Amino acid sequence: MSRFLGRLGGAAAAHPWRTIGAWLIVLVALTALSTGFGGTPHDDYNVPGTESQAGTEFLREHFPQMSGADARVVVHAGQPLDPAALEALRGRLSGLPGAAIVSPPRMSDDGDTAIVTVQYDIPVTDFQGSEGVDALRAAAAPLVREGIQVELGGQVAENMTAPSGTAEAVGIVVALLILVFALGSVVAAGLPLVVAIAGLGVATALIAVLERVTDISGTAPTIATMVGLGVGIDYALLLVARHVEGLRDGLSPREAAVAANATAGASVIVAGLTVLVSLFGLKLSTLPVYSSFGYATFVAVGAVMLAAVTLVPALCGLFGRRVLPRRARKAAAAPSRPRFTARWATRVGRRPVIAAVVSSVVLIGLAAPMLGMRTWPQDAGSQPTSNTSRQAYDLISAEFGPGANGPLVLAVDLTKGVVLDDLVARLRATPGVAAVAPPSVNGTAAVVVVEPATGPQDERTAELLDHLRASVVPDGVLVTGLVATFADISDRLASRLWIVVAFVVALSLLLLTVLFRAPVVAVKAAVMNLLSVAAAYGVMTVVFQTDPGARAVGLPHAVPVSSWVPILLFTVLFGLSMDYEVFLLSRVREDWLATGDAQGSVTRGLSATGRVISSAAAIMVAVFVGFALDPDVTVKMTGVGMAVAVFIDATVVRLVLVPATMALLGKANWWLPGWLDRLLPHVEVERHEAPRRTLEPVS
C-alpha cells in the first residue's frame, strides 16, 4: 500500500494539471448526473417488529385515510374566533393535494384558539421540500392578512428542515485561520480547504444520486457534510504538513510528494478505512433511517479520503516551494529545536503512573453523568421558540393541555372480541389519561384516540404507554401513533446500542491489529476511544438535560438527548478518534522500527505529530461547533457531542493518557505472539525508506 501510494503521489505531483483536470471532469459529470437523475431526501421512520409499526400497518389496511401524514393548523387571536372564518379555512384545507380528512375546528375553552387537523392519505416523505408547508401557509394566508396568528404543527411542519449554511461557513473560516497558524503559509493553508470542498462536492452529487435509488434521511446529508468537512481538512492537513517537512529536509516537490503519500498518505487510508468500518455499525440499528445516515457519511468520508491522496500531491507539486512560509524558502533547512510537544511527552514519560491515573479520573468524571442520560426522538417541543412548529406546540399546550401534542392512537381489531364501550370506559378511568375521543368504526376495525395528561417528552407519558400496553388494553388492540412510535424507537435504539458498540470495536481491533501488528496497541486504542466517547456522552447529558446548558446552545429549556444521537455519535466518533490514534501510532511505529527505542519513539512520535494533531483537532472542533449552531436539534446535539469528544481526545487522551500508557508498557506495546504473526497478513503501512532528515515536527 505504501509503495503504491508513493507512486500515486509522485505521478500526481509530476502531472498536477492532469490530476486536477480528472477531478474537475468527475465533479462536473457527477453534478450533471445528480441534477438530471438525483432524488430527494426521504425519512423512513418504520420500526420493524414493534407494536407501533404493527398498529400503523393495521391502520393502513383498514383506515387508509388515517395512515398518512398529519398537519395541525393552530389559529389564535386575542378574542373569540369567527366560526365562519374557521369553516372557510377548513374548506381551503380540504382542497389541498393528499388531504383525506379535515377535522372540524377544536375550540379552546375561551374560544380564542382553534386546532384544525389535516389528515393526509400519503406519508410525510411524499412531500418534496417545503411544498406541504407552503400549501398550508397559502390556505391560512387570508387569516394572517387579518392579523390573526396562525402556526403550523404536526408531521408535515416538523419534518421540514432547511440547512442554513451558517455551520459550513463558520467551520471553513475558523479552519482557514487555524491552518494559516499551523502551516505558516496562506498557500499551504488553502490546500486542505480546497481538497475537502472538492471531495464534498463529489460526495454531495453521489448522495443525490443515492436518493434516487434508496431512502436517505433529510438530516443525513448535513451529518455527512459535517463529518466529511472535518475529516477532509484533517487528512489533507496531515499530507500537506508531511510534504512541507520533506521540502524543509531538502527534497524536491516531487520527492516530497512521494514521501508524504507513502507515509502520511498510508495513515490517511488507514484512518479513513477505520471510519468507514465504524459506519457499518449503523446498519445493526435495524432502522432504515439509520442506514441512510451510514450511506451518506460513507460516501462523504470515502470521497474526501480519495481527494486527499490524489489532489494534495497534485496541488503541492503545482505550487512547489510556495507551500513553505516565506522565511523557510530562504533557508536550506528548518532549525532543529525541541518543541512543546517534545518537552511535554518527555515530562509525561518521566511520571507515567501519575499522568495515567489523573487523566483516567478526569475521563471517568466527565463520563459519569451519562448514567442519567434520557433519550427521546426530537419533536416540536425540542425546537427553538422561533420555529412555527414550536409555537404551535406551545399554543396547544397552553390552551388544550400538554397531552394534546402527543395523542396515543389505538388500533382495534373488533374480530378479536373487543367491546368498544368497555375499552373506552377502562381508558377514561386510567390515571394519566386526560381525554378519550369517541371511537371511529369501519366495519371490523375501530380507532380510539387517547390524550395523555402529560406532554410527549414527559417520562410519565412513556410510563402511561407501558401501562396501557401491559394492563389496560386487551388482545386485539395495538397502541400506535407518533408518541408510541417514538417510544419504540428509543427502546429499540437503546437495546441495539451495545450490539453496535461490540461490532464497531471488534472490527476496529481487527483492522488495527492487522495494520500495526500490535494487539496490545490495538486494545489500548479501543479502550481509550471508548473513554473519549463516554466522556462526550456525559458532557452532552449535562449540556442538554439542564436548563443552563440547553440555553447556552440556543434551546429554551432542558430536553432529553435525541434517541438518534448516541449510536450515530458512537459510530462516527469511534472512527474519528481512531484517526488521531493512527496518525500518532504510525509515526511512533515508524521510529520504533528504525531505532528499537520503545520510550524514545513515543516522545519523538508525539513531538513530530503533536502540532499537526492539535491543529487538526482544533479544525474539527471548529467545524463541529459550527454545526452546533444548526436549528435542527439532532444536528445540534451531534455537533456538540463531536466537538467535545474530539477536544477531549486530542488533549486528555492523546497528549496525556496515550504517552503515559505507552511509556508504562514499553516494548510490550509491540508484542506479537508467534502464532498470530504467522496468521496475520503483512500490510506495509509505512514506507520506511522514505528520505527524511529527522523526525522533527513541522513548525
Side-chain angles (χ1 to χ4, degrees), residues 344-360 599 602 656-666:
W344 177 263
T346 301
R347 189 177 299 118
V348 171
R350 288 173 183 161
R351 297 179 178 82
V353 175
I354 295 175
V357 170
V358 171
S359 57
S360 298
Q599 183 143 346
V602 176
V656 183
L657 193 54
V658 168
T661 53
M662 293 194 78
L664 285 170
L665 291 170

Side-chain angles (χ1 to χ4, degrees), residues 196-548:
I197 292 171
L200 280 179
V202 169
T204 300
L206 287 173
I207 291 170
V209 174
L210 272 179
E211 290 170 348
R212 170 68 67 176
V213 298
T214 189
D215 288 333
I216 300 293
S217 168
T219 309
T222 304
I223 299 295
T225 299
M226 180 197 314
V227 178
L229 184 60
V231 301
I233 295 174
D234 276 10
Y235 294 166
L237 170 60
L238 182 69
L239 280 161
V240 172
R242 198 65 180 259
H243 182 90
V244 169
E245 183 179 331
L247 292 178
R248 290 185 167 185
D249 288 342
L251 302 181
S252 69
R254 185 179 183 279
E255 290 172 336
V258 172
N261 239 36
T263 52
S267 298
V268 165
I269 295 297
V270 172
L273 288 175
T274 307
V275 177
L276 296 180
V277 164
S278 297
L279 290 172
F280 281 121
L282 291 175
K283 190 73 176 174
L284 296 177
S285 68
T286 71
L287 297 182
V289 69
Y290 254 133
S291 297
S292 76
F293 280 110
Y295 300 150
T297 310
F298 190 97
V299 168
V301 173
V304 297
M305 180 178 67
L306 293 177
V309 296
T310 53
L311 275 178
V312 168
L315 292 171
C316 286
L318 181 65
F319 286 103
R321 293 184 62 82
R322 281 177 289 172
V323 297
L324 289 169
R326 184 170 300 176
R327 288 182 301 173
R329 294 178 217 163
K330 301 175 182 179
S336 178
R337 58 189 177 88
R339 297 203 165 275
F340 167 77
T341 48
R343 299 192 300 272
W344 177 263
T346 301
R347 189 177 299 118
V348 171
R350 288 173 183 161
R351 297 179 178 82
V353 175
I354 295 175
V357 170
V358 171
S359 57
S360 298
V361 168
V362 169
L363 289 172
I364 293 171
L366 290 172
M370 70 174 285
L371 298 175
M373 179 187 288
R374 178 173 173 258
T375 61
W376 184 259
Q378 80 175 64
D379 57 27
S382 304
Q383 298 297 327
T385 53
S386 57
N387 289 11
T388 183
S389 56
R390 174 58 191 272
Q391 293 181 29
Y393 184 97
D394 289 343
L395 282 172
I396 291 172
S397 294
E399 299 287 343
F400 302 94
N405 277 301
L408 301 172
V409 180
L410 276 59
V412 184
D413 185 351
L414 297 177
T415 64
K416 302 292 187 179
V418 179
V419 180
L420 280 178
D421 290 341
D422 291 347
L423 174 63
V424 170
R426 293 182 66 184
L427 291 169
R428 286 175 175 161
T430 301
V433 172
V436 180
S440 298
V441 181
N442 183 14
T444 59
V447 173
V448 181
V449 178
V450 176
E451 202 168 278
T454 50
Q457 294 183 14
D458 196 305
E459 290 183 87
R460 290 170 293 180
T461 302
E463 293 170 357
L464 172 64
L465 172 64
D466 293 339
H467 177 62
L468 291 178
R469 285 174 167 173
S471 307
V472 178
V473 301
D475 291 340
V477 179
L478 300 170
V479 184
T480 185
L482 195 60
V483 171
T485 299
F486 279 179
D488 289 342
I489 286 174
S490 291
D491 292 342
R492 172 67 60 85
L493 293 178
S495 66
R496 302 297 293 184
L497 174 61
W498 304 111
I499 298 174
V500 173
V501 168
F503 173 82
V504 171
V505 171
L507 278 185
S508 299
L509 279 174
L510 179 62
L511 180 62
L512 287 181
T513 301
V514 169
L515 292 171
F516 289 109
R517 308 184 68 78
V520 173
V521 166
V523 171
K524 179 176 62 63
V527 171
M528 290 182 184
N529 290 342
L530 286 172
L531 285 173
S532 294
V533 176
Y537 283 169
V539 173
M540 194 167 57
T541 301
V542 172
V543 169
F544 288 98
Q545 291 186 195
T546 62
D547 284 337

